Amino acid sequence: MIQRTDYWSRANGHNSNGVHHGECGGKKPTVIDLFAGCGGLSLGLEEAGFRPVLFSELNRQAADTYLANREGMEIIEESDIFKLTNQRLGKHLQSLKKRGIKEIDLVCGGPPCQGFSGIGHRRTFRLDKKDIPSNHLFLEMVRVIRKVKPKIFLFENVKGLLNSRWTPQGEKGEIWQAVLAAFSKIPGYSVRWELVHAKNYGVPQNRPRVLMVGIRKDLLGSALKKRIIPHSCDENSAIQAGYLPAGSNDAPSLEDLLSDLEDPEFEGKDGNPVYLRDPQSEIQVHLRTTRDGKRMKKGDGVTEHEYSQHADYIREKFTHMIRNDGEIPAKFRTKKFAQRVFPKTWGNDGPNITATSLPEDYVHYKEARSPTVREWARLQTFPDWYVFKGPRTTGGRRRAGDPSKNLWDRDVPRYTQIGNAVPVMLAKQIGLHLKKILKQ
């Protein structure tokens, strides 16, 4: 068996299925997840011992995925954040009090980032970022935090937010300064932020992300206060202040991650409905373990593992890339999107890829095909029992909408739901750390 990575051994040693059931003060800490997507952030927090009590997600396909994996958990569902008014939110909080939930421990969320992400930059729309409504949704998260007054809040977004401008003539980083100022002005919180890389938290991706943490000042103990560094927009390290966990370079390789799903006879098949072999690595053991602790073995069913039916010339291209260090034959080169072959192992700097909403960006390291939905989900450290709703994929224009024509609705198929998610293991590491703060 391939040796487990340090993060996977430390983070998943709580019980047989890697789900941590520890509680604060006898009860699981509660979380409200805004812009929840398909539930990656919530799931990681659940594995760290948190209990989601309310979530909001506008897209029906992503919300269906969230709910399908949380049957019987009594989570309040909201769709449009604008419909979650202060009055409606107050009624929900009263309802939760009747269930014995007197206070919310954590409000978290990653407002939609299409206007700031690298994938968003691939599409040219004739609108400034200030004119795209979704780019202002962080203010709705601020409003909810002001109303709920949780013990801690967590904001997550893409690296591109740090350098974005409202208009082409604006100042570099002005959007991030507006976001940071809005959260820092919430009364009664000490706020710190950090640019982290998911690869340092047991995730087989580079995936840089901006994380901001606010801790209610009345809860800051003397031990934490001693670690707070001076507040500054330029130097405000959440890790140095103890608000976020420090990482290490312990991400599993893609061979560790995917080798049990390899299929030497994949050509001509629609997919594989069962596991062809037993787990080959520690991360595979974890991802193939169900909520109730059952470990999936050879011959058991596996979902979301349908193969893309590529044309012969595409398979020819992929085969050449696999055999020639990722080189794309001259006759297949285009000015569209460059494709890469999944590396079996990482170099000294660890993972150098980031899963987006576009699986066609990558080629399997051994088989001449793009990754399946299940393999894509594993890149985000979703366990194999996690199901996804909605279409498998869809056209690029339908994924992006067209703000220049006032078309804001977007399809969010399964690949996109996964690509947009917070990696589960990153969320779990953050959750374990925040829970320690809550205990203090």
Side-chain angles (χ1 to χ4, degrees), residues 8 54 83 88 104 118 148 161 183-184 188 218 256 272 324 336 351 354 403 436 439:
W8 283 92
L54 185 152
K83 294 181 180 178
R88 187 172 177 82
I104 301 299
V148 175
L161 177 63
F183 282 91
S184 297
D218 63 302
D256 285 0
N272 226 325
N324 295 275
K336 197 180 179 185
T354 294
K436 289 180 182 178
K439 284 184 177 182

Side-chain angles (χ1 to χ4, degrees), residues 367-429:
E367 300 169 15
R369 59 174 177 82
S370 56
T372 66
V373 170
R374 180 52 57 203
E375 290 166 334
W376 204 239
R378 282 193 177 188
L379 280 174
Q380 292 280 53
T381 56
F382 280 100
D384 287 0
W385 58 260
Y386 208 86
V387 299
F388 299 90
K389 300 297 181 180
R392 181 170 175 266
T393 188
T394 189
R397 179 61 65 180
R398 292 196 298 274
R399 283 197 303 266
D402 192 343
S404 65
K405 297 179 180 178
N406 204 33
L407 298 175
W408 306 103
D409 291 337
R410 298 181 300 114
D411 282 351
V412 186
R414 299 179 192 186
Y415 279 113
T416 303
Q417 291 177 37
I418 295 166
N420 289 346
V422 175
V424 176
M425 178 50 76
L426 172 61
K428 180 175 182 176
Q429 294 304 319

